[in-house]
Amino acid sequence: PVEAARHQPEAHRGRTWAEALTRATALRPELRDLPRPDTVVCRCEGVRAAELQGYVRGRDARLHARCGMGRCQGRTCGPATDFLYGWAPGGPRQPLVPTTFADLLGGLSGSEQP
């Protein structure tokens, strides 16, 4: 607790800087009106804005229009589509079946196992 208290001022400065940076770099709402139907939104897969109309979630656009399936895996177009269409960023998906460490290590030879 003493060590943590000693770093509180530094942590506060970092949070203040992060909040200021977020405010300074926030995209203006009027930018949502800029893309035309032929504007390429996903460069890796060549997906245009017109192809993304009607999708409610980024996951649907990914599965049906391949937006975010290219080389960058949505790191470039993901934030843009979240902003343009109001899609919530997708988080990691849970596995269908839980896996044990023994199963994960099963493919390793005896010399590779920790």
Side-chain angles (χ1 to χ4, degrees):
V2 173
E3 185 73 18
R6 194 168 59 108
H7 291 287
Q8 285 297 340
E10 182 181 349
H12 178 69
R13 282 193 305 275
R15 279 191 300 276
T16 302
W17 170 252
E19 290 166 3
L21 189 61
T22 298
R23 283 192 304 276
T25 60
L27 297 175
R28 299 184 319 259
E30 61 267 19
L31 294 175
R32 286 188 178 98
D33 300 328
L34 285 179
R36 289 183 242 128
D38 63 335
T39 301
V40 175
V41 178
C42 175
R43 295 181 297 188
C44 297
E45 292 292 319
V47 180
R48 301 183 183 280
E51 298 173 58
L52 299 177
Q53 297 300 320
Y55 292 113
V56 180
R57 302 178 314 155
R59 180 164 169 73
D60 296 334
R62 189 176 184 96
L63 293 172
H64 299 286
R66 296 199 46 84
C67 183
M69 296 288 286
R71 184 177 200 129
C72 80
Q73 292 293 291
R75 286 178 185 83
T76 301
C77 62
T81 56
D82 294 345
F83 172 78
L84 289 172
Y85 303 106
W87 297 337
R93 295 187 344 223
Q94 298 298 319
L96 294 176
V97 178
T99 303
T100 65
F101 283 112
D103 290 339
L104 294 173
L105 292 173
L108 299 176
S109 68
S111 63
E112 295 172 329
Q113 289 187 2

